[in-house]
Amino acid sequence: MNNEELMDLLNKVRNGEVSTEEAGEQIKRLNFDDLGFAKIDHHRAVRVGVPEVIYCENKALEHIEGIVKNMMERTDENILATRASREAFEHIRKIAPQAEYHELARIVTVRRKEIHQVPGTILIVTAGSADIAVAEEAAITAEMLGNPVERCYDVGVAGLNRLLARLDVIRRANVVIAVAGMEGALASVIGGLIDKPLIAVPTSVGYGSSFHGLSALLTMLNSCASGVGVVNIDNGFGAAYLANSINRVNLNQQEK
Amino acid sequence: MNNEELMDLLNKVRNGEVSTEEAGEQIKRLNFDDLGFAKIDHHRAVRVGVPEVIYCENKALEHIEGIVKNMMERTDENILATRASREAFEHIRKIAPQAEYHELARIVTVRRKEIHQVPGTILIVTAGSADIAVAEEAAITAEMLGNPVERCYDVGVAGLNRLLARLDVIRRANVVIAVAGMEGALASVIGGLIDKPLIAVPTSVGYGSSFHGLSALLTMLNSCASGVGVVNIDNGFGAAYLANSINRVNLNQQEK
Amino acid sequence: MNNEELMDLLNKVRNGEVSTEEAGEQIKRLNFDDLGFAKIDHHRAVRVGVPEVIYCENKALEHIEGIVKNMMERTDENILATRASREAFEHIRKIAPQAEYHELARIVTVRRKEIHQVPGTILIVTAGSADIAVAEEAAITAEMLGNPVERCYDVGVAGLNRLLARLDVIRRANVVIAVAGMEGALASVIGGLIDKPLIAVPTSVGYGSSFHGLSALLTMLNSCASGVGVVNIDNGFGAAYLANSINRVNLNQQEK
Amino acid sequence: MNNEELMDLLNKVRNGEVSTEEAGEQIKRLNFDDLGFAKIDHHRAVRVGVPEVIYCENKALEHIEGIVKNMMERTDENILATRASREAFEHIRKIAPQAEYHELARIVTVRRKEIHQVPGTILIVTAGSADIAVAEEAAITAEMLGNPVERCYDVGVAGLNRLLARLDVIRRANVVIAVAGMEGALASVIGGLIDKPLIAVPTSVGYGSSFHGLSALLTMLNSCASGVGVVNIDNGFGAAYLANSINRVNLNQQEK
Amino acid sequence: MNNEELMDLLNKVRNGEVSTEEAGEQIKRLNFDDLGFAKIDHHRAVRVGVPEVIYCENKALEHIEGIVKNMMERTDENILATRASREAFEHIRKIAPQAEYHELARIVTVRRKEIHQVPGTILIVTAGSADIAVAEEAAITAEMLGNPVERCYDVGVAGLNRLLARLDVIRRANVVIAVAGMEGALASVIGGLIDKPLIAVPTSVGYGSSFHGLSALLTMLNSCASGVGVVNIDNGFGAAYLANSINRVNLNQQEK
Amino acid sequence: MNNEELMDLLNKVRNGEVSTEEAGEQIKRLNFDDLGFAKIDHHRAVRVGVPEVIYCENKALEHIEGIVKNMMERTDENILATRASREAFEHIRKIAPQAEYHELARIVTVRRKEIHQVPGTILIVTAGSADIAVAEEAAITAEMLGNPVERCYDVGVAGLNRLLARLDVIRRANVVIAVAGMEGALASVIGGLIDKPLIAVPTSVGYGSSFHGLSALLTMLNSCASGVGVVNIDNGFGAAYLANSINRVNLNQQEK
Amino acid sequence: MNNEELMDLLNKVRNGEVSTEEAGEQIKRLNFDDLGFAKIDHHRAVRVGVPEVIYCENKALEHIEGIVKNMMERTDENILATRASREAFEHIRKIAPQAEYHELARIVTVRRKEIHQVPGTILIVTAGSADIAVAEEAAITAEMLGNPVERCYDVGVAGLNRLLARLDVIRRANVVIAVAGMEGALASVIGGLIDKPLIAVPTSVGYGSSFHGLSALLTMLNSCASGVGVVNIDNGFGAAYLANSINRVNLNQQEK
Amino acid sequence: MNNEELMDLLNKVRNGEVSTEEAGEQIKRLNFDDLGFAKIDHHRAVRVGVPEVIYCENKALEHIEGIVKNMMERTDENILATRASREAFEHIRKIAPQAEYHELARIVTVRRKEIHQVPGTILIVTAGSADIAVAEEAAITAEMLGNPVERCYDVGVAGLNRLLARLDVIRRANVVIAVAGMEGALASVIGGLIDKPLIAVPTSVGYGSSFHGLSALLTMLNSCASGVGVVNIDNGFGAAYLANSINRVNLNQQEK
């Protein structure tokens, strides 16, 4: 029930078209959604081109298919399915023929309307080539959310010179996402070189005492570079989501 | 050696004023600092009103005094000393009489020139009153970096209604910093209500299986709310530093 | 040796039919079971409709089959087999044709006599849809133990409004079981909204620093909401068992 | 705004006494507090004899004094201050002369009106004498919440016979709280003997690989006795709070 | 009720002096203590020279004094107070003038009657001199329990030759207790050299990644030498207690 | 070079049959094996009936086959192959037709000569039926080492009465091995009831916060029952090995 | 741009062949690689016989094939592919027919030119036979880097005499690599016997509380033998790499 | 018994001056020390200028005094006392007036004879100024062992340019020790820049999720730079000890 509907109801009460009892019931049934603090979900939907998101891990293929079907019928939004296997993609494609599969990122995208672009760029950097899967999850997500993305992969400590050689690119970005496993030192190195918001994504790449990403996670949380925001191990999606919200800061409403 | 000096040198080579050998030596001696990627520190100093920062923990009082003295003589920047005891403050005040002590935040500030303000607001929220010390470290830091700050303290789960009642304030902010110990659920709750960059600071408040902040840290890293950037336990300074860099995104150069 | 048998023995001593030595021996051989403190197991069996329970994980199919066979022959109680695969179900059904398989809950139930119902309701709430398997283990167990169950699934932080919209349902319940993985904040949120016994079940849903449920477990143990009882990760059965014993508090003996 | 007030407003709209615009504004201003889900805090206050609670750890003495003063002036409720040092007690006594100090429990109670008693008993059992401090925190809390309490201390595994000898007492209780450090086996032993709700409190008593209570905590979470609700290490207060809510289940409204 | 009393009762039943009803009641009231399985404590007391044990850590001085007083009055057994400070010793000496303080071991012993010696020797070995405190706790305990003790201290890996030089001593012992902190390798080395029961005591000696004894504990649990029994970190008392029970195996009853 | 050979050599030096130089060389070449401290391995082999042991985990089938072949040719000792798959058994049987497979214990035994029995009994107790595999590893090992074994399985806390009912059996044993997963409380309960050497084996049975046996391990290390020797998780072999060495204490040399 | 090219450029400036503007641009484009600090990679390539290294774990077979192809075309260096499956080997062999597969080490080597040998020997010691895979990864790597390697396998604590018997071999080595799982005591034992640089490699060999190599790792980090350098669990390659750089210390430049 | 003494003995046997029995006894009493493998300790003492080492932590002042006294009387070697408080220094100075106290390093040195220098340099680098204490422990130790030391402090990621500016110094060193707390990324950065043996020392500098050095430790163990040898947290002494043994590799015997 939005504002107009509420005024309409009250007018009907005034006119005697609706009894006070009935109006009282309707108002008490007021879904919190209508009262402002719960408009969140719809608020998201109203923005131009924001996709619906499905986290596919552990979901049955039929279940995923059902959700996509529902989305295809109910809205005209783009769709982003993360942690999707190729089989999940096949199931989605049956419902949404325009679906594309991003193999490395394990993401399925269904583009149904144009994505409104923000001006600033999100730069995604990885330490090694094994971190690229997580980086691509971030990259595709950021693009689907309307952000220009630059990739700068495999520039870990051993390739420090390559990283330094691209400092201009790094400095042009609005937000940087650093993706690294093993010891995760990349975040600290980049944090020391730039003055932009930096999001660090530890990955589970490594073995032995990397403890499935714990080593990189702790490194990033303890970074001597001030002001690094860390997300969960392998959480490329979350990093892109945060980068997107950062990338929209200080844009005026119409652009947003 | 900046661009002009390089051109000057090359012109001297052309004119025979400098031998190619000597020019080659000078160019090879090029300090990395001169080549751009190492201008970072100075880059920071050039921005209007950015303070010099001293991390006081474990530093001897004389050491702190020496650093402040050096800063007072060498620059005219503001000074921010974090994790400072009252004794540290007394030592700093001897050198910098305008020093102020923020007891809860354990911060000493020395304001020597006006801080250039950015327009957007940083909101700092805490779950409990025991988290306020960390929140104030963030608040004072953010203010010293030129950000308007709003505080919304003691609105944890038990005070959910108080939080909801202030949704307008929360939504007006450009960036939100959520500070919470114990189980740290506050970050997830706020993350579900807003669509702005959210930085989560776990605190060491709690006992037993809170394991000195580990519980809150894990909660925040695993938040079901997408896009929360987490910093180290009790790291109010780092959260503010990140929030400040976010709050400057998309501002044009002169404002920056 | 029950009370009658003891009196019978003592009478025989009195009558000289049994020597004091022999009676002494018999009394000393008194199995603890007969003395009261060990009647526990039977005490459980005497209550109306309490099922026999089999924990199937790691048990060979023939083993499970054997246990069920023995139960079918020895008692007329209902049977509850937890963590049962579909294959386990097939084996059980051969012995007990009335067996039903609850796939999500991975439970097999064999209803052989009516379950005596208690009046109060147990409400089971989950944060996400991935937590439903654990929730259903709790739900089916609670029902087999004679409790009316209400389900309120997928109402985590992102769906806070849905949770709030069902507060009446929540408040009508006698006991609430909150099931959540990832950061497990749901327990704290519900704990702040109700004044009923609350049991929290962390689940292993999540990845990276959720550390297979550790994150949710710590969150729940450190909940700022007072008085949350936590069970093991993924232990829906245990939560229901505790909820059942709570739901019977203050009922008079005959109802019990 | 409660139901009557809403109906009153709607009637005024019908009668034209209030304009639809004004009514719309009033309805939109509906504080969440008025819609039910936020009545929680007051709901607690309405119950007879429920104390106000202050967690004193890490609070400045003046701060505690201020809170107590405020409570003394604003309400006539009883007061329960947990984790209170003797000095905290001295400060509280200045404001509330009737304050009593429970040294072992580290609790200060201020009884200002009679506590309404529930009929059922809460039994508190400890493994060793070192666990008594935590047990007393639970005991005093439970009593202040209106529950008859029985204590059965120092009956760990080495004193199993003492525990067994008191089985009648144990079975008479409505709820049992088992408090144990070191290996925490007490909870499992009691859980195997009774059929009542059992709350387990791990304590930090022990050394070496007890890891400050972690050992007892894991033991209790993995108890082979079904249906044990575990609270945080050393959290006697939380255990009592949960026990109190359990002890009120199925009591009719007026008793509650 | 012991055997004689039971026979006496049964005889009275036979003679009609006691009714069967009354006898039945008395038998049912049979305290478990009387039935054998709970005679444990007394069983211990009956053995010649076994001391009463007080664990002093965290106990108030008056409390310790009270316990000793009670022991002095009630029994004529020797007394062993572990983890006792010098102050605790002073308090004990007031009650028991014959008390001796073993400073390194932090043990107070009160010898009131001769300790019956078993023939076999317990050998206690330490890796470093910092482990001697724990070793002495074991040594004094073992002696008070009636075991000849040999000490072989400071023979860690760096002093392997000293250890090897004393192989005859090591091989003469009935049981060996290996006490080591840091990396705890001593247990494995000794385990590879002897064929006697070996008890390993990790100590909290070390720093950094020794994690307060965790390193030594894990080393000992994973020893490639078969058949090492490990006790808690710094638990010299427990090691001696186990060694004592091992040292009595296969001795005939009268010696025991 | 044994004693006789040394004396022989020295006599030859005396007689001039061997030069001092040559004798010096021979003495310096003295293999440590000859000096006593390295006779360990052979020392084991000399004892009657001690089997050769093969740990099969991670060994290639051909590798195992080769080792067995070598043993069959080189010695006439019994063979014990632990953690052996059925396939490993098939390979061993090809070489040693008398091999037997103990499926639950995952042990292959090859009995080639009679095992000399010690008089005392080793009792093996398990908490649940899932712990039986580890218990059987201990049982078969203990038997192969010449110890009479009694089994008392599935007598955890829920079956405390069954355990108590068998106290006589427990007390007759020379050594007790308690095998338990989940919370591992069994060791403490038995430790409180007996006065014999007790070896505790934590198992990886359980889920969630049992952390693959960590919970049971910590429980056992922190047992409030004095003098429990703990071995690695699932290490039935090590427990039996230790129990065997304990069971031989105080037997005179010829029996040994 | 190397030194000659720079001088050439400056000469052209002097001669007017190149404008100062163009020269300035070229100098500013100076890749850091040219300025010395980034010559690392090439520096490695210049040394005689140093192989190119590919870490195959998690790399797609086509990816590995592509890298090898590129190496075969671009350089004439030897190639070392670690953690390579047999399938990876088959793919590499298609491109580089001279490839050899070291099955135990899981390494593929492609020898295309002679490896320049350093004079000193690297000794690799293992505790058990299960550690040999990791040891062979170290051995093959060390050999490919030009080091003479000696192997001394399966000389753990149980075979201490075998180790001692080979002390001469151990003392002749320039560097020792100790490889051990389970409790990892080998490093301490060797560290106590030699005075050469010692590198310790914990392996994931073990079960239960070895926690996948954590036990051996902590043991080695806490070694009471001074000066042991530890690498990651199972990191034979890293140990050899470090040993190689140690083995080249103090050799004069031409040998290097 | 050295070689000469053995020959002397054998000659006496030949000459009949010593009976074969007596010679046999003497030879069997041969302390292992004499047989080579145990000459380690003396071997150390024979080298020129190697100090005796005392680890003072947890040692009583009188104890330290005693050890120093013994060393002063027994040998003429230099003395190195680590982890020494100022009080310890005062006690040592009473015995050895030439003692010097290195406050930051917490080391006392007593130089009694000239230290023989090796030619190569050990470079010690720290990330922050808080790591200097550990670095100085390494520096003083390395110097006392005869190594030229260069210090390069406070060159963490934020000062990367300072580090790069000193690459020549870094490359001149024979061995590098990198000392860093917090996230410990320094080791990886240096490891990527040099080709010399690199020893990494994690420090306990940091707070929150640095977990007292665990974060830096894991970072260093997982370094993507190949071939980093890691020592225990804060173990500057061990790092220097290892660096010293590396710095002597390939030096010919007389220099050693």
Coordinates of all heavy atoms in Angstrom, one line a residue, chain C residues 51-78:
Chain C
P51 N 8.7 -42.2 20.4 CA 9.2 -43.1 19.4 C 10.6 -43.6 19.9 O 11.3 -43.0 20.7 CB 9.4 -42.3 18.2 CG 9.7 -40.9 18.7 CD 8.9 -40.8 20.0
E52 N 10.9 -44.8 19.4 CA 12.3 -45.3 19.4 C 13.1 -44.5 18.4 O 12.6 -44.3 17.3 CB 12.3 -46.8 19.1 CG 11.4 -47.7 19.9 CD 12.1 -48.2 21.1 OE1 13.3 -48.0 21.2 OE2 11.4 -48.8 22.0
V53 N 14.3 -44.2 18.7 CA 15.1 -43.4 17.8 C 16.4 -44.2 17.3 O 17.0 -44.9 18.1 CB 15.6 -42.1 18.5 CG1 16.4 -41.3 17.5 CG2 14.4 -41.3 18.9
I54 N 16.6 -44.1 16.0 CA 17.8 -44.7 15.4 C 18.6 -43.6 14.7 O 18.0 -42.9 13.8 CB 17.5 -45.8 14.4 CG1 16.4 -46.8 14.9 CG2 18.8 -46.6 13.9 CD1 15.8 -47.6 13.8
Y55 N 19.9 -43.5 15.0 CA 20.7 -42.5 14.3 C 21.4 -43.3 13.2 O 22.3 -44.2 13.5 CB 21.7 -41.9 15.3 CG 22.7 -41.0 14.7 CD1 22.4 -39.7 14.4 CD2 24.1 -41.4 14.6 CE1 23.3 -38.8 13.9 CE2 25.0 -40.5 14.0 CZ 24.6 -39.2 13.7 OH 25.5 -38.4 13.2
C56 N 21.1 -43.1 12.0 CA 21.5 -44.0 10.9 C 22.9 -43.7 10.3 O 23.5 -44.6 9.7 CB 20.5 -43.9 9.7 SG 18.9 -44.5 10.2
E57 N 23.4 -42.5 10.5 CA 24.7 -42.1 9.9 C 25.8 -43.2 10.3 O 25.9 -43.5 11.5 CB 25.1 -40.7 10.5 CG 26.3 -40.1 9.7 CD 25.9 -38.9 9.0 OE1 24.7 -38.8 8.5 OE2 26.7 -37.9 8.9
N58 N 26.5 -43.6 9.3 CA 27.6 -44.5 9.5 C 27.1 -45.9 9.9 O 28.0 -46.8 10.2 CB 28.6 -44.0 10.5 CG 29.2 -42.7 10.1 OD1 29.5 -42.5 9.0 ND2 29.5 -41.9 11.1
K59 N 25.9 -46.2 9.9 CA 25.4 -47.5 10.2 C 25.2 -48.3 8.9 O 24.7 -47.8 8.0 CB 24.1 -47.5 11.0 CG 24.3 -47.2 12.5 CD 23.3 -47.9 13.4 CE 23.5 -47.5 14.9 NZ 23.1 -46.1 15.2
A60 N 25.6 -49.6 8.9 CA 25.4 -50.4 7.7 C 23.9 -50.6 7.5 O 23.1 -50.6 8.5 CB 26.1 -51.7 7.9
L61 N 23.5 -50.8 6.3 CA 22.0 -50.9 6.0 C 21.5 -52.1 6.7 O 20.4 -52.1 7.2 CB 21.8 -51.0 4.5 CG 22.2 -49.7 3.7 CD1 22.2 -49.9 2.2 CD2 21.3 -48.6 4.1
E62 N 22.2 -53.2 6.7 CA 21.8 -54.4 7.3 C 21.6 -54.2 8.8 O 20.7 -54.8 9.5 CB 22.8 -55.6 7.1 CG 23.1 -55.9 5.7 CD 23.9 -54.8 5.0 OE1 24.7 -54.2 5.6 OE2 23.6 -54.6 3.8
H63 N 22.5 -53.4 9.4 CA 22.5 -53.1 10.8 C 21.2 -52.4 11.1 O 20.4 -52.7 12.1 CB 23.7 -52.2 11.1 CG 24.0 -52.1 12.6 ND1 24.9 -51.3 13.1 CD2 23.4 -52.7 13.7 CE1 24.9 -51.4 14.4 NE2 24.0 -52.3 14.8
I64 N 20.9 -51.4 10.3 CA 19.6 -50.6 10.5 C 18.4 -51.5 10.4 O 17.5 -51.5 11.2 CB 19.6 -49.4 9.5 CG1 20.7 -48.5 9.7 CG2 18.2 -48.7 9.5 CD1 20.9 -47.4 8.6
E65 N 18.5 -52.3 9.4 CA 17.4 -53.2 9.1 C 17.1 -54.1 10.4 O 16.0 -54.3 10.8 CB 17.7 -54.1 7.9 CG 16.5 -54.7 7.2 CD 16.9 -55.5 6.0 OE1 17.7 -54.9 5.2 OE2 16.5 -56.6 5.9
G66 N 18.3 -54.6 10.9 CA 18.2 -55.5 12.1 C 17.6 -54.7 13.3 O 16.7 -55.3 14.0
I67 N 18.0 -53.5 13.5 CA 17.5 -52.8 14.7 C 16.0 -52.6 14.5 O 15.2 -52.7 15.5 CB 18.2 -51.4 14.8 CG1 19.7 -51.6 15.1 CG2 17.6 -50.6 15.9 CD1 20.5 -50.3 15.0
V68 N 15.6 -52.2 13.3 CA 14.1 -51.9 13.1 C 13.3 -53.2 13.3 O 12.3 -53.2 13.9 CB 13.9 -51.4 11.7 CG1 12.4 -51.3 11.4 CG2 14.5 -50.0 11.5
K69 N 13.8 -54.3 12.8 CA 13.2 -55.6 12.9 C 13.0 -55.9 14.4 O 11.9 -56.2 14.9 CB 14.1 -56.7 12.3 CG 13.3 -58.0 12.1 CD 14.2 -58.9 11.2 CE 13.4 -60.1 10.8 NZ 14.2 -61.0 9.9
N70 N 14.0 -55.7 15.2 CA 14.0 -56.0 16.6 C 12.9 -55.1 17.3 O 12.1 -55.5 18.1 CB 15.4 -55.7 17.2 CG 15.5 -56.0 18.7 OD1 15.0 -55.2 19.5 ND2 16.1 -57.1 19.0
M71 N 12.9 -53.8 16.9 CA 11.9 -52.9 17.5 C 10.5 -53.3 17.1 O 9.6 -53.2 17.9 CB 12.2 -51.4 16.9 CG 13.4 -50.8 17.6 SD 13.7 -49.2 16.8 CE 15.0 -48.5 17.8
M72 N 10.3 -53.7 15.8 CA 9.0 -54.1 15.4 C 8.5 -55.3 16.2 O 7.3 -55.4 16.5 CB 9.0 -54.4 13.9 CG 9.3 -53.2 13.0 SD 8.1 -51.9 13.1 CE 6.7 -52.6 12.2
E73 N 9.4 -56.2 16.5 CA 9.0 -57.4 17.2 C 8.8 -57.1 18.7 O 7.9 -57.7 19.4 CB 10.0 -58.5 17.0 CG 10.0 -59.0 15.6 CD 11.3 -59.8 15.3 OE1 12.2 -59.9 16.1 OE2 11.4 -60.3 14.1
R74 N 9.7 -56.3 19.3 CA 9.7 -56.2 20.7 C 8.7 -55.2 21.3 O 8.3 -55.3 22.4 CB 11.2 -55.8 21.1 CG 11.8 -56.5 22.3 CD 13.1 -55.9 22.6 NE 12.9 -54.4 22.7 CZ 13.8 -53.5 22.4 NH1 15.0 -53.9 22.0 NH2 13.5 -52.2 22.5
T75 N 8.5 -54.1 20.6 CA 7.6 -53.1 21.1 C 6.5 -52.7 20.1 O 6.5 -53.2 19.0 CB 8.4 -51.8 21.4 OG1 8.6 -51.1 20.2 CG2 9.7 -52.1 22.1
D76 N 5.6 -51.9 20.5 CA 4.6 -51.4 19.6 C 4.8 -49.8 19.4 O 3.8 -49.1 19.1 CB 3.2 -51.7 20.0 CG 2.8 -51.1 21.3 OD1 3.7 -50.6 22.1 OD2 1.6 -51.0 21.6
E77 N 6.0 -49.4 19.7 CA 6.2 -47.9 19.7 C 6.4 -47.4 18.3 O 6.8 -48.2 17.4 CB 7.5 -47.6 20.5 CG 7.4 -47.9 22.0 CD 6.3 -47.3 22.7 OE1 5.8 -46.2 22.3 OE2 5.8 -47.8 23.7
N78 N 6.2 -46.1 18.1 CA 6.6 -45.5 16.8 C 8.1 -45.5 16.7 O 8.8 -45.6 17.7 CB 6.1 -44.1 16.8 CG 4.5 -44.1 16.8 OD1 3.9 -44.9 16.2 ND2 4.0 -43.1 17.5

